[in-house]
Amino acid sequence: MVNYRTAEYIDWCPSCGDFGIVSSETMALADLGIDRSKAVVVSGIGCSSKIPHYINVSGVHTMHGRAIPFASGIKLVNPDLKVIVNSGDGDLLGIGVGHLVSAGRRNLDITILLHNNGVYGLTKGQASPTLHRGLQTKSLPTKNINDSLDPLAIALTAGYTFVARAYAYDAMFTKEIIKKAIMHKGTSLVDILQPCPTYNNINTKEWYEKRIYKLDEDYEVKAPEEASERMSKALIKSFEWGDRIPIGIFYENNFIPEYGQRIAEHSPAYFSDYPAKQVIEQNGKSTTDISRLLEKLGV
Amino acid sequence: MNMLAAEKASLLVKPVFNLKPIKKQEMVQIDGNTAAAIGKIAGGIGFQSYYPITPASDESVYLEANQIVDTVVDGAKSSRPVVVVQTEDEISAIGMAIGAGLAGVRSATATSGPGFALMAEALSWAGQTESPVVVTYYVRGSPSTGLPTRSGQSDLKFAANVGHGEFPKIVLASGDHAEVFHDAILAFNLAEAYQTPVIHLIEKSIANTYSTLDKAELDYSKAKIERGALVRMDPGKDYNRYSLENGPVSPRSPLGSSVAWYSGDEHSESGHISENPTNRTAMYEKRMKKLDLAAKEIPQDEKLNVFGDSGAENAVITFGSPKGALKDILEDLLSEDKIKLQVVQVRFFSPFPAEELAKILQNKKRVIDVENNYTAQLGSFVSEHLHITPTHFILKWNGRQMNTDELRDAIKRAVGNDEKRIVLNSGM
């Protein structure tokens, strides 16, 4: 029996939503039987981004907002790896929002788990890009002056081919969503709502649990021509936020080629001989032959 | 009409200069961007990421156009795909390149000043996590947008000091097209040997100009591909990525072959976050000692390129593109102007070859510093590390390369008239 949890001391606050996410994620890895050395969890900076240290697969704890580029580099040179990004709402929708949007254009086969609690917990509670305008969580000197970003709407319009929302305290449901996200061939985003018991005294466990409800299973694009209609419906659904908040899978489209497949169109050997597999030296000598390139430059 | 003119001209020129036809198959015409790209290919590149910027993009576009490269493995001819990605910005470019390096692939990015500025934080991360990555830094006229299609050498200190905090980085600058090619291979070796970022400086004036080179100058059959302490641990077996057991360079197993952790936080031998003061002291020292090791192991003839008269009382120190003009004027300076010179082209700035340089400069009457910037940045490296201050400065920052006439004249003025600071301004 593989243990997907490390023995590292966890310094999250008691009842932090991150506990639910680390449980769901490790259960998902266990259910899928993923080889520990073939999975990499990549994070940014923040409370949530400490998660690689608590998951017993390879972990890369990067810079604020930059988990997606690092994860992309790893996946691009070794498509056999399962690469999962765990990052906060400040990471992915604030400082790193450009990467979040651009990832949709590539549709690389990585999974992005967004820890969404509306605040910058590690720096003591400033408003994050997902906190709604007019709210004043307990560290804010004044009401939040900015409108909020909707991660699902951004993902849908940016080109993500799997878009879902989960709730951190419903660990079994979140686990099932994460499993589907990992198995999806393409970029998947799971927006995971989580209370921050220390700094977000508005969007609490009680607040969420009165509102959330589960979507039905009708989310998959069945034919390319119905993609835009499906996406429009998912987009409208993503705007539902108030007395009722939907969780579940909003959209999945398996007709868009994944980035590796796009590479293989011009480099057919990519999946069988990707860069991490290549033999670039033998006995200290380069195995690469540049003579054809030099011939072209001959004068 | 043009062909006719060329033929007529060649008939007139031939008897004067006794020109012989060059052997076609042995010469190549190559620019700096292409030399860097082909050098990277020869050096085993597997991944390049970039965001478009002048004058760096041509290198990446060349790689993109030639991403399936020829190989000979176990005597059999084959090919392998290199992955080249155009990213959304330079932060993404460096992040992807570092990620690819963690997976055991020789990876690089190419940029220029404004893009390099955006890469500073990630280079600090790579230094802290002991991750190899190569940044090919095409230096144009700065600051800010500056002279984006012109040249300069004013980013030297920025490159050498990039990133917050203290961490080992290797910074080298090429002086001509052949050097660019060989340095692109060397950069990968150094990045993997010392598990740290390597910044390879190439001026715009080298990037976008051509040299006609004998193919032998691009021979890399003797070049070694050294991957340092890259190992493949047994799958599933954990290991301490930052083991303190075997000196400053600890074994590194690619992501995908065994489980390991990387963090920009200070970390223990296992790679997990640690704020323990004793560990902090030891881990910090482990990283910094790699630079001492590099200083000891990199051969002197890689660090410095010394030419001219070793007995001369005048030394010229320079780096990068003035090399060509200096080589061309040495003979005239000696035979016509009776000035003997020893020229030292500095190629490494981190580790800085202080001892080697001191041996050459300590007994010189004049040390003339030749650079394409305002503040004589190489000169201040020399002052800082050697406690020898250049006596004369020949400087130019108008975005144009130094030419032989103005440089020869300036050296005559420095030696003959003792002019301390001479500013050059030729060029259209």
Side-chain angles (χ1 to χ4, degrees):
Chain A
M1 182 72 187
V2 181
N3 185 0
Y4 286 91
R5 292 285 283 269
T6 66
E8 288 297 298
Y9 172 75
I10 298 183
D11 59 3
W12 291 324
C13 304
S15 74
C16 175
D18 287 331
F19 284 104
I21 298 173
V22 75
S23 296
S24 311
E25 190 167 344
T26 49
M27 284 190 292
L29 292 167
D31 277 10
L32 295 171
I34 288 173
D35 181 343
R36 288 179 54 231
S37 59
K38 298 290 175 207
V40 187
V41 173
V42 185
S43 69
I45 292 293
C47 298
S48 56
S49 283
K50 290 181 180 174
I51 202 169
H53 298 286
Y54 312 140
I55 300 180
N56 200 8
V57 302
S58 284
V60 185
H61 180 191
T62 74
M63 294 143 52
H64 195 30
R66 316 303 172 198
I68 292 174
F70 281 78
S72 303
I74 295 164
K75 180 72 183 181
L76 282 160
V77 296
N78 190 343
D80 279 350
L81 299 181
K82 290 283 180 203
V83 181
I84 303 167
V85 168
N86 281 84
S87 245
D89 41 6
D91 253 338
L92 290 173
L93 291 153
I95 188 166
V97 69
H99 308 308
L100 182 90
V101 172
S102 302
R105 294 167 52 217
R106 291 189 280 266
N107 197 33
L108 185 64
D109 184 17
I110 59 173
T111 304
I112 300 171
L113 305 180
L114 164 61
H115 298 232
N116 182 355
N117 63 8
V119 291
Y120 284 80
L122 200 68
T123 50
K124 299 182 290 182
Q126 296 82 4
S128 94
T130 57
L131 189 70
H132 283 239
R133 177 163 51 86
L135 296 186
Q136 188 171 5
T137 47
K138 69 185 188 195
S139 306
L140 297 191
T142 58
K143 285 179 182 174
N144 181 22
I145 199 165
N146 295 309
D147 277 307
S148 57
L149 291 177
D150 175 352
L152 300 181
I154 290 173
L156 286 164
T157 50
Y160 282 66
T161 50
F162 182 101
V163 179
R165 183 190 277 147
Y167 173 59
Y169 285 175
D170 190 342
M172 295 312 280
F173 183 76
T174 303
K175 175 191 84 170
E176 291 305 322
I177 301 256
I178 292 175
K179 277 162 67 178
K180 286 184 177 135
I182 289 174
M183 296 317 290
H184 171 74
K185 269 269 173 219
T187 310
S188 48
L189 178 86
V190 184
D191 171 28
I192 307 176
L193 304 174
Q194 60 169 131
C196 173
T198 305
Y199 295 111
N200 190 334
N201 55 331
I202 295 171
N203 307 114
T204 59
K205 180 175 186 288
E206 293 69 32
W207 188 91
Y208 277 122
E209 288 176 9
K210 263 196 281 187
R211 290 167 171 81
I212 55 173
Y213 72 96
K214 288 171 185 167
L215 291 170
D216 62 30
E217 301 276 298
D218 183 29
Y219 52 79
E220 196 183 336
V221 175
K222 304 263 180 9
E225 55 273 19
E226 65 166 63
S228 63
E229 198 190 326
R230 284 268 172 196
M231 191 193 284
S232 308
K233 278 187 184 159
L235 200 53
I236 290 167
K237 205 49 155 170
S238 79
F239 298 143
E240 189 179 335
W241 185 275
D243 291 341
R244 280 166 63 79
I245 298 172
I247 60 172
I249 301 169
F250 284 63
Y251 179 77
E252 182 173 17
N253 184 349
N254 291 303
F255 294 99
I256 310 291
E258 180 270 327
Y259 197 81
Q261 294 170 326
R262 300 180 199 178
I263 293 174
E265 278 177 32
H266 53 72
S267 294
Y270 172 65
F271 284 110
S272 57
D273 190 25
Y274 48 76
K277 235 183 178 178
Q278 296 167 3
V279 179
I280 61 159
E281 61 88 23
Q282 285 186 317
N283 305 317
K285 296 288 173 202
S286 175
T287 58
T288 308
D289 178 8
I290 59 168
S291 49
R292 192 170 51 90
L293 301 175
L294 294 183
E295 261 161 46
K296 281 194 224 164
L297 301 171
V299 286
Chain B
M1 178 70 184
N2 288 341
M3 291 300 288
L4 198 67
E7 271 169 31
K8 289 263 184 223
S10 98
L11 285 175
L12 289 172
V13 167
K14 255 183 199 161
V16 179
F17 292 103
N18 193 25
L19 295 176
K20 288 173 190 151
I22 52 171
K23 285 182 192 162
K24 195 178 178 184
Q25 68 277 17
E26 287 171 9
M27 305 297 281
V28 292
Q29 190 186 40
I30 196 164
D31 63 279
N33 292 124
T34 310
I38 295 182
K40 284 179 175 178
I41 291 170
I45 192 171
F47 183 84
Q48 168 117 342
S49 45
Y50 77 103
Y51 184 78
I53 190 168
T54 302
S57 320
D58 288 353
E59 182 203 301
S60 299
V61 172
Y62 181 90
L63 285 169
E64 225 167 338
N66 295 283
Q67 59 191 285
I68 300 175
V69 300
D70 295 340
T71 59
V72 181
V73 179
D74 297 325
K77 285 189 175 184
S78 185
S79 64
R80 62 180 181 91
V82 176
V83 173
V84 184
V85 179
Q86 181 185 331
T87 59
E88 59 272 23
D89 58 31
E90 283 91 349
I91 300 174
S92 185
I94 185 72
M96 283 198 197
I98 296 170
L102 293 175
V105 167
R106 288 199 155 183
S107 58
T109 180
T111 190
S112 187
F116 189 73
L118 291 179
M119 295 182 181
E121 188 191 0
L123 289 168
S124 184
W125 192 91
Q128 172 78 335
T129 58
E130 307 197 31
S131 304
V133 68
V134 170
V135 182
T136 313
Y137 184 172
Y138 289 92
V139 186
R140 64 192 210 190
S142 56
S144 189
T145 311
L147 296 172
T149 66
R150 305 288 179 182
S151 203
Q153 295 187 319
S154 53
D155 296 1
L156 175 65
K157 278 192 173 174
F158 177 50
N161 293 310
V162 70
H164 56 296
E166 299 168 311
F167 60 90
K169 65 180 89 72
I170 291 170
V171 180
L172 74 161
S174 302
D176 60 30
H177 296 93
E179 279 188 39
V180 166
F181 171 83
H182 293 288
D183 288 344
I185 303 172
L186 179 63
F188 279 138
N189 285 345
L190 296 172
E192 291 202 311
Y194 304 107
Q195 302 178 351
T196 210
V198 174
I199 298 151
H200 178 194
L201 299 167
I202 303 169
E203 289 149 68
K204 195 271 172 191
S205 55
I206 295 175
N208 298 161
T209 54
Y210 288 86
S211 280
T212 305
L213 301 178
D214 192 320
K215 270 190 191 171
E217 292 182 71
L218 304 180
D219 177 25
Y220 63 107
S221 60
K222 289 195 184 69
K224 283 226 162 95
I225 304 294
E226 292 167 324
R227 307 213 64 188
L230 183 72
V231 292
R232 280 177 200 276
M233 301 285 178
D234 293 338
K237 196 182 159 195
D238 299 2
Y239 76 111
N240 282 336
R241 169 66 188 90
Y242 303 105
S243 167
L244 292 165
E245 274 172 27
N246 299 307
V249 179
S250 47
R252 179 173 83 88
S253 184
L255 289 175
S257 73
S258 47
V259 177
W261 286 270
Y262 293 87
S263 177
D265 281 65
E266 189 56 270
H267 39 259
S268 63
E269 288 179 279
S270 67
H272 289 303
I273 299 170
S274 168
E275 301 209 340
N276 177 298
T278 307
N279 173 76
R280 165 71 168 172
T281 302
M283 224 20 103
Y284 205 115
E285 193 168 34
K286 171 190 190 298
R287 291 188 292 271
M288 297 311 291
K289 288 279 185 200
K290 292 191 293 183
L291 202 57
D292 298 340
L293 199 62
K296 214 168 75 184
E297 291 176 345
I298 299 170
Q300 173 162 345
D301 60 0
E302 291 287 10
K303 292 176 184 165
L304 300 174
N305 188 9
V306 187
F307 52 95
D309 182 348
S310 62
E313 60 180 15
N314 305 306
V316 163
I317 55 168
T318 193
F319 73 102
S321 68
K323 173 192 181 184
L326 283 163
K327 279 206 140 167
D328 285 352
I329 61 174
L330 271 184
E331 209 181 294
D332 286 348
L333 277 169
L334 184 64
S335 60
E336 293 181 24
D337 309 321
K338 311 296 173 211
I339 295 174
K340 284 186 187 171
L341 275 187
Q342 185 175 22
V343 179
V344 187
Q345 176 209 345
V346 179
R347 289 174 26 83
F348 274 76
F349 300 91
S350 178
F352 192 72
E355 278 178 35
E356 296 91 334
L357 199 51
K359 275 186 200 147
I360 299 168
L361 299 183
Q362 61 193 358
N363 295 319
K364 299 292 184 195
K365 187 174 170 191
R366 297 180 193 86
V367 175
I368 306 167
D369 180 13
V370 175
E371 298 187 54
N372 282 94
N373 58 51
Y374 183 91
T375 54
Q377 298 185 18
L378 167 63
S380 69
F381 267 94
V382 171
S383 308
E384 181 188 338
H385 290 273
L386 275 65
H387 310 293
I388 293 174
T389 306
T391 54
H392 299 78
F393 297 91
I394 299 172
L395 303 168
K396 182 172 185 178
W397 57 86
N398 72 354
R400 278 70 176 168
Q401 261 181 291
M402 290 187 187
N403 73 41
T404 49
D405 290 348
E406 66 176 348
L407 194 52
R408 182 177 157 193
D409 176 62
I411 288 170
K412 276 158 56 182
R413 284 160 60 195
V415 173
N417 309 346
D418 198 26
E419 284 185 52
K420 297 292 187 195
R421 182 180 167 94
I422 300 166
V423 177
L424 308 182
N425 198 24
S426 78
M428 295 291 281

